[in-house]
Amino acid sequence: VQFLPYPHQVVPGFPDLSQGEWQSIAKKGFHALPANARSFVEKIQVLSGVRIKSVSIGPGRDEIIWL
């Protein structure tokens, strides 16, 4: 990896959803994420050159989205 932006240079700006809405998204999978969240994950994969296998949207095991 040659360059990754510092955290202050990346602002994902996800929508403010309730816990129930996020849990519903976790059950449906990656394609249920808001478009800007999917784009953010995809951009991180491109910048890092590493395939992301999961995204956590909370502390519980049921809040993991497997890609």
Side-chain angles (χ1 to χ4, degrees):
V1 176
Q2 293 181 355
F3 171 77
L4 282 178
Y6 291 111
H8 68 274
Q9 293 175 314
V10 177
V11 182
F14 303 133
D16 189 18
L17 301 175
S18 71
Q19 182 177 0
E21 290 171 306
W22 281 115
Q23 287 174 341
S24 175
I25 288 170
K27 289 178 185 174
K28 293 177 184 173
F30 181 72
H31 295 290
L33 281 171
N36 58 341
R38 288 191 314 269
S39 295
F40 180 74
V41 172
E42 291 164 354
K43 185 67 171 180
I44 295 299
Q45 290 184 114
V46 169
L47 289 172
S48 67
V50 176
R51 181 176 170 258
I52 296 175
K53 295 183 179 182
S54 65
V55 176
S56 176
I57 58 173
R61 289 184 180 202
D62 61 337
E63 297 171 306
I64 296 173
I65 298 174
W66 297 97
L67 304 165

